[in-house]
Amino acid sequence: MKRFAAAFLSVLFLAVPALAGATVADAEEGARLRVELNELNPRVITGSTTTLTVAGTVTNTGDRKVTRPQVRLQVGERQTTERGIGDVLSGAVIKDSPLTDFTSVADTLEPGQSAPLNISVTLTGARAAQFSRPGVYPLLVNVNGTPEFGGPARLGAVSMLMPVLAGPGKTVSRGSGAPSMTLLWPLTSSVPHVYASPLGGRAVLADDRLADEIGPDGRLNALVTAAHTAVQGDPSLARSMCFALDPDLLATVDAMSRGYQVHTDAGTIDGKGAQTAQTWLAAVRSLVGSRCVVALPFADADLDTVSQIRPGDATLIAQAAAGAATIQGLTGVTPQSGVLWPDGTPNASVLAALAQAGIRTVLTDAGKLAPAAAGGGVTVQGSTVRAQPTDSLISSAMTGVPTVPDSVTMPATTEAAVTSQNGLGALAFRAGLGLPAGQDRPDHLLVAPPRRWDAPAAELTAYLQQVGNFLDAGLVTATSLPTLLATDPAGPGPVGDGGQAAAADPAVVSTLSSLDEKTTGLASAMQLDPTKRVKPDDVVAPVRLAELRAASTSWRGLPADAATANARADLAAISEQVSVSQPKQTIALASGNSPLPVYVSNDLPVGINARFVLTNNTGLRSDDAKARFFPAGGGKNYFLPVEALRAGRFSVDVSLRTPTDTPLGSSARFELTSTEYGAITIIATVAAGAALLLLASRRIYRRVKDAKAGRGPVD
């Protein structure tokens, strides 16, 4: 993606036919060009706009030569309904007309070859008239060409919304009744990066990508830098913004700043981003200062998924919602009390758990609330929690919406720059730009960008600058989140049917439930050591946090093993600190019932109850199934009563398990030799011999008796 005057715009487009009467098959045949835009200027048309410029590249991504590729701009009719905006965003067919003539891109484009795309049009006369009235217009960059062995067709296109505050050469008129606006600015990582976080040890990350994200050219640094620049020069914009912080991200970066390691297949290595982490964390503190801050769930966990890990128990939900203390400790700013911004609308059981945890307000998608929530939010029926809606249309425009099947023009749905341009258009539309005076519009807009917005700093800066221009033009007015939430909700209301949240991954839930059960069993076996004063719950706390990371919304669509790696690693790191040592030499049993010496180390800061388990033990028997207590911070020999079942050389595996059968450490193999049998074996042997002697005697007796009777031997 290349840098351009105001922003970055890049989008991969599947092409479809442009000519009338083209079929769906033709559309698939024509999917051959990728259109990348690196300049769009201006982002919003005003009365002073004289020129519209679009520049970029066209690349042949097909396997056939394309002849006579040519491009033109097309503009659709001013959109006056939410459905019309939705059609543009989803790629539905809309009526448009040429803004320019076709301009040649190249004579031919061979497969893999690129050519520059440049259009600059003066907005005067008939062209200016196409933007004569304030409103939001669809703008299409349309590339046609003729693929080898085919006919002329539309081979690539980029579609976006273009707000027009005033037609070129006209005066901006300030309307009355402009809605107020609050802008959320989320800071959360792409995925949780912690691999292991042992109690009292250095953090181990799964990779070092977070160092890049917070580095000079990284996504998270761009979000902080752009916001800092914008709020410094625009008090109204600063007042409207509230920074949504992920406590797990802040805690991870803080751990990185003190030195950390990175997990690799060959072992752990030192991380490279300690100084970068210090710099970024300082920039976050400077940005939020005394400004509005709201908490995300820990690791942006999917609360519905969390509720399924331990059904009926609200503990994990409360832990996911308890990030305010972490945010306050690492930034010096206290987040809005009792306010949480989870992804999606929590279900009834989650809302009840949140209420118990002190959460009074959740920020959520208006599309999932009843229509009554469109204004100041509602108190969800059956709950004490207020649901404050974010604007669904704006969020969809900035996140990307599913495309219409067989769409003639497919919009950009994944590229942050194009979707932010659409976000500006959707914001202008929702604010009432160009709408009839009697048309309903919301009193307030709570704008929620993508939670993991990935765009360069220049694009983010351009977006914020234009939102500031909307404020200056009176299209919207700035309202802080505390002011918004100080108003009473509209009343009780149900959760609507405006969309279902993504279902929890059954494999993730199953794995986490199993790990949680093992962790609970491990904690129940622990005992506080009076000298170390470490609580068992503190020892297993890293696993609980890892469970929340595994439930993060960022893992949706990714492998379950990747999501649960942290929880599995942290549970293993705890259990492996209680282990049976591998003997260095063969152990000779002095007698058939000699005790087996087993050395156990407990490196945990708590004592633990566990029992010995023997496996692969065909030559050895132990009836000792009782639990023993292993004190904290040390090791000693324990003598396990065993009995040899045979003489000779054999092996046995010895391990430890808690009373609830949670395994500890790994098993150790003991090589044994025995020259004697145990008492039970001897008794069994004597009994068998006596039985054999009795049977033999009986047989001899019968032979003698039969011989005396003259009947001869009987077999």
Side-chain angles (χ1 to χ4, degrees):
M1 194 180 291
K2 301 178 180 179
R3 190 181 184 93
F4 59 88
F8 277 67
L9 287 174
S10 174
V11 60
L12 174 61
F13 248 68
L14 297 176
V16 289
L19 301 183
T23 66
V24 175
D26 293 330
E28 295 172 351
E29 177 72 15
R32 299 186 176 281
L33 297 182
R34 181 178 70 240
V35 180
E36 291 179 302
L37 301 184
N38 53 42
E39 181 179 354
L40 172 66
N41 187 34
R43 304 295 297 273
V44 175
I45 293 176
T46 67
S48 61
T49 301
T50 58
T51 304
L52 177 61
T53 300
V54 177
T57 59
V58 178
T59 303
N60 184 350
T61 56
D63 58 356
R64 300 180 190 177
K65 177 175 65 175
V66 174
T67 59
R68 296 187 63 198
Q70 49 189 343
V71 60
R72 75 177 178 187
L73 295 183
Q74 297 170 199
V75 60
E77 296 180 345
R78 185 172 61 107
Q79 300 300 303
T80 59
T81 65
E82 186 169 334
R83 179 175 179 177
I85 294 292
D87 286 345
V88 175
L89 296 175
S90 64
V93 176
I94 60 171
K95 182 180 179 180
D96 60 16
S97 57
L99 184 64
T100 68
D101 296 329
F102 275 111
T103 301
S104 176
V105 173
D107 292 333
T108 61
L109 283 177
E110 298 288 345
Q113 188 177 11
S114 299
L117 175 159
N118 291 285
I119 301 176
S120 184
V121 53
T122 302
L123 296 182
T124 57
R127 290 170 174 169
Q130 291 180 277
F131 298 109
S132 62
R133 301 173 61 188
V136 179
Y137 295 76
L139 183 66
L140 180 73
V141 182
N142 175 25
V143 181
N144 281 12
T146 304
E148 195 171 19
F149 311 118
R154 178 181 297 176
L155 302 182
V158 173
S159 176
M160 68 199 80
L161 297 173
M162 175 59 74
V164 176
L165 291 182
K170 297 186 177 181
T171 305
V172 176
S173 59
R174 290 180 178 267
S176 59
S180 60
M181 182 205 70
T182 301
L183 174 62
L184 299 174
W185 199 254
L187 295 178
T188 188
S189 58
S190 55
V191 294
H193 295 279
V194 175
Y195 178 80
S197 52
L199 181 68
R202 289 202 295 172
V204 180
L205 303 190
D207 50 55
D208 222 355
R209 288 183 296 164
L210 185 54
D212 295 329
E213 282 196 71
I214 62 176
D217 298 322
R219 179 185 69 85
L220 287 168
N221 189 64
L223 286 164
V224 173
T225 301
H228 192 274
T229 300
V231 298
Q232 291 286 46
D234 192 333
S236 293
L237 179 63
R239 185 168 65 255
S240 73
M241 293 184 72
C242 192
F243 299 94
L245 305 182
D246 175 5
D248 178 49
L249 171 62
L250 296 180
T252 302
V253 175
D254 179 60
M256 291 173 63
S257 71
R258 298 192 299 273
Y260 66 103
Q261 294 181 312
V262 175
H263 173 76
T264 69
D265 293 338
T268 57
I269 60 175
D270 288 337
K272 65 182 181 181
Q275 183 59 53
T276 302
Q278 295 173 21
T279 301
W280 187 81
L281 203 53
V284 171
R285 294 189 186 105
S286 176
L287 170 64
V288 298
S290 58
R291 297 187 173 95
C292 173
V293 169
V294 67
L296 295 170
F298 185 89
D300 194 24
D302 181 344
L303 299 184
D304 287 355
T305 298
V306 174
S307 70
Q308 297 178 49
I309 297 173
R310 199 188 302 167
D313 190 329
T315 305
L316 285 176
I317 295 288
Q319 191 166 10
T326 299
I327 294 172
Q328 198 279 332
L330 294 177
T331 66
V333 178
T334 302
Q336 296 299 302
S337 178
V339 181
L340 191 70
W341 182 22
D343 189 17
T345 301
N347 59 35
S349 64
V350 172
L351 287 171
L354 290 176
Q356 293 178 23
I359 299 300
R360 300 187 302 275
T361 301
V362 293
L363 312 180
T364 188
D365 183 357
K368 296 176 183 177
L369 297 177
V378 296
T379 301
V380 179
Q381 287 180 351
S383 170
T384 60
V385 177
R386 170 179 179 167
Q388 184 65 41
T390 58
D391 190 277
S392 298
L393 181 66
I394 300 174
S395 295
S396 296
M398 300 185 74
T399 304
V401 299
T403 57
V404 172
D406 304 327
S407 171
V408 174
T409 300
M410 299 181 66
T413 58
T414 58
E415 292 293 335
V418 173
T419 52
S420 67
Q421 173 66 22
N422 288 339
L424 289 172
L427 173 59
F429 173 82
R430 294 291 282 152
L433 181 62
L435 297 183
Q439 187 163 328
D440 291 339
R441 64 193 73 185
D443 296 327
H444 184 83
L445 298 172
L446 181 55
V447 180
R451 301 170 84 81
R452 293 168 186 84
W453 202 356
D454 188 3
E459 167 64 17
L460 298 170
T461 299
Y463 174 83
L464 289 174
Q465 182 180 28
Q466 189 54 61
V467 173
N469 291 343
F470 285 165
L471 290 168
D472 293 341
L475 187 64
V476 288
T477 61
T479 295
S480 68
L481 184 64
T483 300
L484 172 64
L485 298 182
T487 61
D488 293 332
V495 174
D497 60 355
Q500 296 296 322
D505 186 336
V508 171
V509 173
S510 176
T511 300
L512 291 180
S513 294
S514 175
L515 292 172
D516 186 76
E517 184 177 355
K518 292 177 181 178
T519 303
T520 300
L522 188 61
S524 67
M526 296 177 178
Q527 292 185 22
L528 180 74
D529 184 275
T531 61
K532 300 184 182 297
R533 308 299 297 174
V534 177
K535 298 178 181 179
D537 285 345
D538 293 338
V539 177
V540 299
V543 184
R544 305 301 192 200
L545 295 179
E547 291 174 18
L548 297 179
R549 294 188 186 103
S552 174
T553 61
S554 64
W555 292 114
R556 288 174 180 165
L558 297 177
D561 285 348
T564 59
N566 178 200
R568 288 184 279 112
D570 272 335
L571 179 59
I574 296 171
S575 63
E576 288 172 0
Q577 293 189 60
V578 184
S579 61
V580 176
S581 296
Q582 181 82 30
K584 297 181 180 179
Q585 58 188 13
T586 301
I587 297 175
L589 299 177
S591 64
N593 58 356
S594 294
L596 181 66
V598 181
Y599 189 84
V600 176
S601 299
N602 178 13
D603 295 326
L604 293 172
V606 293
I608 192 165
N609 295 299
R611 58 184 174 83
F612 289 105
V613 177
L614 273 61
T615 55
N616 187 34
N617 57 327
T618 54
L620 202 67
R621 173 180 176 177
S622 174
D623 291 326
D624 185 11
K626 67 180 181 180
R628 300 169 182 252
F629 178 72
F630 301 95
K636 60 178 286 189
N637 262 320
Y638 295 84
F639 294 94
L640 182 61
V642 296
E643 179 185 356
L645 301 178
R646 61 182 174 84
R649 186 184 181 99
F650 52 93
S651 63
V652 62
D653 295 329
V654 181
S655 60
L656 289 167
R657 286 180 176 267
T658 69
T660 58
D661 216 34
T662 299
L664 297 171
S666 56
S667 62
R669 173 152 294 186
F670 286 63
E671 298 294 338
L672 307 175
T673 61
S674 175
T675 57
E676 297 190 33
Y677 294 105
I680 293 177
T681 304
I682 294 174
I683 292 171
T685 302
V686 171
L692 180 62
L693 179 60
L694 180 62
L695 292 173
S697 299
R698 181 175 178 273
R699 187 177 184 85
I700 293 171
Y701 169 77
R702 291 184 63 185
R703 282 176 175 270
V704 172
K705 183 178 179 181
D706 291 342
K708 288 181 178 181
R711 289 181 295 181
V714 179
D715 292 331

